[in-house]
């Protein structure tokens, strides 16, 4: 599983802690079906400064190139049922 860190996305992503411990826990929530998936694994960070081709690969809606690619290698997972997952809120009127 991988995702990009785009410049200007206003997300406080800190990769400094990964130097000592690369373990991560990802919690993916599906509110519509009221389930969640917990994924435990190890995260690697790839600086894209030296890979201009990969840095330019991005959705058309994202104006900035990616700074880093983050790759999570799952080691374990657990699918939870409805406990603790609230239903999806109704859509906001436009």
């Amino acid at each position: 599983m991988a995702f990009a860190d785009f410049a200007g996305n206003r997300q406080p992503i800190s990769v400094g802690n990964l130097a000592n411990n690369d373990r991560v826990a990802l919690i993916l929530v599906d509110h519509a079906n009221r389930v969640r998936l917990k994924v435990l694994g190890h995260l690697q960070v790839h600086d894209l400064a030296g890979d201009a081709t990969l840095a330019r690969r991005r959705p058309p809606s994202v104006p900035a190139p990616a700074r880093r690619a983050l790759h999570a290698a799952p080691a374990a997972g657990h699918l939870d049922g409805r406990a603790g997952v609230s239903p999806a809120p109704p859509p906001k009127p436009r």
Side-chain angles (χ1 to χ4, degrees):
M1 157 184 334
F3 54 96
D5 176 21
F6 292 99
N9 68 1
R10 299 183 186 146
Q11 297 296 315
I13 296 175
S14 172
V15 296
N17 291 335
L18 295 170
N20 294 326
N21 185 350
D22 69 347
R23 293 181 300 167
V24 294
L26 306 172
I27 300 175
L28 310 170
V29 181
D30 179 351
H31 285 280
N33 294 307
R34 297 185 66 190
V35 294
R36 71 179 162 210
L37 176 63
K38 297 176 189 175
V39 179
L40 304 175
H42 299 273
L43 188 72
Q44 294 178 338
V45 179
H46 306 282
D47 186 2
L48 297 179
D51 191 339
T53 302
L54 187 57
R56 283 191 301 268
R57 292 184 65 190
R58 62 184 182 270
S61 62
V62 178
R67 293 183 299 179
R68 297 179 287 222
L70 294 94
H71 177 255
H78 178 71
L79 186 63
D80 279 344
R82 295 180 169 271
V85 180
S86 59
K92 294 181 180 179
R94 292 184 177 209

